[in-house]
Amino acid sequence: MPSNLFAHTDATPEAVAVSSVAGSYTWAEVESRARRFAAALAEEGLATGDRWGLLAQNRIEWTPLILGNLRAGNRYVPCNWHLTADEVAYQLSDSGSRLLIVDAANEAVGREAAAAAAIDRVIVIDTELEDWLAAHPDVEPPDDPAGSVRNYTSGTTGRPKGVHRSDQTGDARTSLRGVSATWGRFYGFPDHGTHLVVSPMYHALPSAYHNAALGLGQSVFFEGRFDPERFLATIEREGVTSAVIVPTHMVRLAKSAGDLAGRHDLSSLVSVVHGGAPCPRWAKEVLLDWWGPVVYEMFGSSEGTGPLRVTPDEWRARPGTIGLPAPFLRVAAFDDHGTRLPDGTTGNLYFRRDDGQPEYVGAPGKTADNRLPGGWFTVGDIGRVEEDGYVFLSDRKIDMIISGGANIYPAEVEAVLVGHPAVADCAVFGIPDDEWGEQVKAAVQFEPGTAATEADLIAWCRERVAAFKCPRSIDVHEAMPREATGKLKKRHLRDVYWEGRDRLV
């Protein structure tokens, strides 16, 4: 008999492991599908370390696909289903993906992207996946080395870059029941109950905690689009013990507290982790008062600048901190010349992991630019480290915009905007938004004798990149504030919108 990943599968194989309103898998069914998927990947010719793409909204099939990838030793590339076909094609091509799995809702975009990336094999979850898996044997997978995710993050040109983490090693069981489970315990996850997934699984945050929950023995419930009332009702109905949310969710919940507090039994909650972007202090205080000491904060990135953790009590004592690093992580502030700064001094935050530095795949220059001697690396965050080790963030990836937990890279949007015939120069940056954290703002300088309306420029962008990346408003300037070297002093445009705010992000 082939082996199982989870003790629950051996003890209670017919218990529900993964579910949604659309259906469920037992522990035995999840394990069998994962093994069959590992066999299917091998049959498609994918060797250890080879990549494949996944373009799908939240659904129970994510779990056996992730676990099968883990056991097969491959790397899956999760694609944001808000992206255009061209943007998806770039990630598939850049990663060298050999196969694309897509849901019916995104099939048209997926097939167009696959064709552009010269991928012949496309599997549609709704109509083809079950038969495809059933056609492959339920046999023992390789398991060592374990597979992992190939997340994409910003490049200096605005195009995302794939990240390879130094901790993506080991065998499948160690990765899941060791590394991932330890991650969950660090944030107070229990070894019982149900974990609720409400954020899109193409994000690194929900997928990491999905694995952590499973590694600890929790079942998983997949929710669709976030709605405060439904979120709370699901907690009560499913006996949810852990969940991961983003600040946009927290703001919506906090604003609804007057109507929703007391309507649902939330006593099952043990740990609700928030991350992905800074959360307004008032919103977090509302949820802590409402739910009790179950709200943890996580700071990190795809490159491995985390995890840092803030427990509920720590945050109450030090409002605004992003917490203490995990035992294998060091954090320090350096100046622009690479000199380490004293405690309490704001500078460039650098990180050092016991397991080494990350690598931007195919971008050795970017990898080198983000490193200092001694194993230190940065992703451009600005902040300070106090004497007691607690870290405070001033600017988060100073140019990157974080809206609703989604990363938006200004250089990519600027490249589109400056392509408009009337635009001579431009800048894209984030400004405060009480619901989304930040919204996209643009400033433009027109070519002499030309002009365009705000609506025309926004429409120009929407035709070329995903709508969530596009400016919601545009200012016109006579000239952009550039140095003689050509470097854009974006802070001069952005800071006026952040005056009086706790965080300049």
Side-chain angles (χ1 to χ4, degrees):
M1 289 289 293
S3 65
N4 295 311
L5 286 173
F6 304 109
H8 273 308
T9 312
D10 298 321
T12 56
E14 300 309 312
V16 173
V18 186
S19 59
S20 71
V21 294
S24 64
Y25 292 140
T26 66
W27 288 99
E29 289 170 336
V30 165
E31 296 260 28
S32 177
R33 280 170 171 77
R35 291 190 294 263
R36 291 179 185 274
F37 181 53
L41 290 173
E43 178 70 19
E44 293 292 334
L46 273 74
T48 299
D50 283 350
R51 279 76 59 199
W52 59 277
L54 179 54
L55 177 64
Q57 298 181 18
N58 283 6
R59 52 192 300 154
I60 60 174
E61 288 85 356
W62 270 87
T63 300
L65 295 177
I66 287 176
L67 297 179
N69 177 81
L70 187 75
R71 302 198 73 174
N74 300 128
R75 301 189 188 281
Y76 77 96
V77 180
C79 300
N80 181 336
W81 40 265
H82 291 99
L83 297 180
T84 64
D86 177 66
E87 292 166 321
V88 174
Y90 165 76
Q91 292 190 1
L92 296 176
S93 178
D94 183 76
S95 64
S97 290
R98 305 270 302 279
L99 167 80
L100 175 65
I101 296 180
V102 63
D103 62 7
N106 296 283
E107 182 179 357
V109 169
R111 289 193 181 279
E112 183 181 347
I119 294 175
D120 297 326
R121 196 71 163 108
V122 177
I123 305 294
V124 181
I125 294 173
D126 307 70
T127 57
E128 301 175 273
L129 182 64
E130 281 299 310
D131 289 343
W132 185 54
L133 294 180
H136 291 86
D138 185 353
V139 294
E140 187 73 13
D143 282 334
D144 191 3
S148 60
V149 63
R150 172 65 58 81
N151 286 313
Y152 268 72
T153 188
S154 176
T156 56
T157 64
R159 281 290 200 178
K161 293 295 181 184
V163 176
H164 179 68
R165 291 264 295 274
S166 53
D167 59 344
Q168 293 175 331
T169 57
D171 63 84
R173 284 175 185 77
T174 299
S175 175
L176 193 64
R177 295 166 66 171
V179 177
S180 290
T182 298
W183 175 287
R185 291 190 192 97
F186 190 58
Y187 289 92
F189 274 28
D191 59 1
H192 64 277
T194 299
H195 176 71
L196 178 56
V197 177
V198 293
S199 295
M201 284 288 287
Y202 59 70
H203 276 303
L205 187 70
S207 62
Y209 284 101
H210 162 275
N211 292 359
L214 289 171
L216 286 167
Q218 293 182 274
S219 60
V220 173
F221 187 89
F222 283 96
E223 190 65 273
R225 290 184 179 274
F226 178 82
D227 173 79
E229 173 75 41
R230 185 168 62 243
F231 174 76
L232 299 172
T234 301
I235 292 173
E236 180 178 27
R237 185 186 69 250
E238 301 294 330
V240 170
T241 51
S242 67
V244 175
I245 57 178
V246 297
T248 299
H249 301 156
M250 299 177 74
V251 168
R252 291 181 179 177
L253 286 161
K255 288 182 176 179
S256 304
D259 295 328
L260 298 180
R263 190 178 296 181
H264 297 282
D265 181 3
L266 308 180
S267 60
S268 62
L269 286 176
V270 177
S271 174
V272 178
V273 178
H274 74 92
C279 178
R281 185 178 300 183
W282 67 268
K284 186 167 182 175
E285 288 173 344
V286 168
L287 296 191
L288 282 170
D289 291 342
W290 178 6
W291 298 349
V294 300
V295 182
Y296 291 72
E297 182 170 358
M298 177 268 178
F299 175 87
S301 68
S302 297
E303 292 91 337
T305 56
L308 281 77
R309 178 194 65 187
V310 189
T311 68
D313 291 340
E314 288 172 330
W315 191 85
R316 290 284 200 187
R318 302 169 183 82
T321 183
I322 59 171
L324 292 170
F328 57 80
L329 183 69
R330 306 290 180 272
V331 186
F334 290 77
D335 66 18
D336 291 339
H337 304 289
T339 301
R340 188 165 178 171
L341 298 171
D343 293 337
T345 304
T346 297
N348 304 303
L349 290 180
Y350 276 79
F351 303 81
R352 186 174 66 193
R353 300 175 61 94
D354 289 349
D355 51 27
Q357 299 163 301
E359 174 190 354
Y360 294 103
V361 180
K366 181 177 176 64
T367 299
D369 288 345
N370 288 346
R371 291 182 174 184
L372 287 177
W376 295 98
F377 67 96
T378 186
V379 292
D381 293 320
I382 309 298
R384 70 184 191 276
V385 183
E386 296 294 349
E387 185 177 0
D388 58 7
Y390 283 87
V391 181
F392 288 78
L393 194 67
S394 299
D395 279 348
R396 187 168 189 186
K397 293 188 176 180
I398 193 167
D399 287 335
M400 189 178 75
I401 302 164
I402 305 174
S403 183
N407 293 346
I408 301 169
Y409 305 109
E412 183 180 8
V413 187
E414 289 164 353
V416 170
L417 192 54
V418 80
H420 190 282
V423 177
D425 200 358
C426 69
V428 173
F429 49 95
I431 64 173
D433 187 295
D434 290 338
E435 181 178 10
W436 296 98
E438 292 183 277
Q439 64 172 261
V440 182
K441 179 79 172 180
V444 301
Q445 173 188 337
F446 289 131
E447 295 283 0
T450 67
T453 67
E454 181 179 68
D456 287 341
L457 294 174
I458 293 174
W460 172 273
C461 292
R462 283 175 173 262
E463 291 173 0
R464 291 161 175 81
V465 293
F468 75 93
K469 299 179 181 180
C470 295
R472 293 173 59 181
S473 60
I474 299 177
D475 294 339
V476 177
H477 293 259
E478 290 186 3
M480 292 290 103
R482 292 190 179 272
E483 297 177 350
T485 59
K487 182 178 180 180
L488 179 65
K489 295 181 285 189
K490 196 173 291 186
R491 181 182 293 274
H492 291 196
L493 300 170
R494 183 185 57 201
D495 284 3
V496 63
Y497 293 97
W498 290 95
E499 291 178 0
R501 296 278 174 155
D502 291 333
R503 282 176 170 173
L504 297 175
V505 294

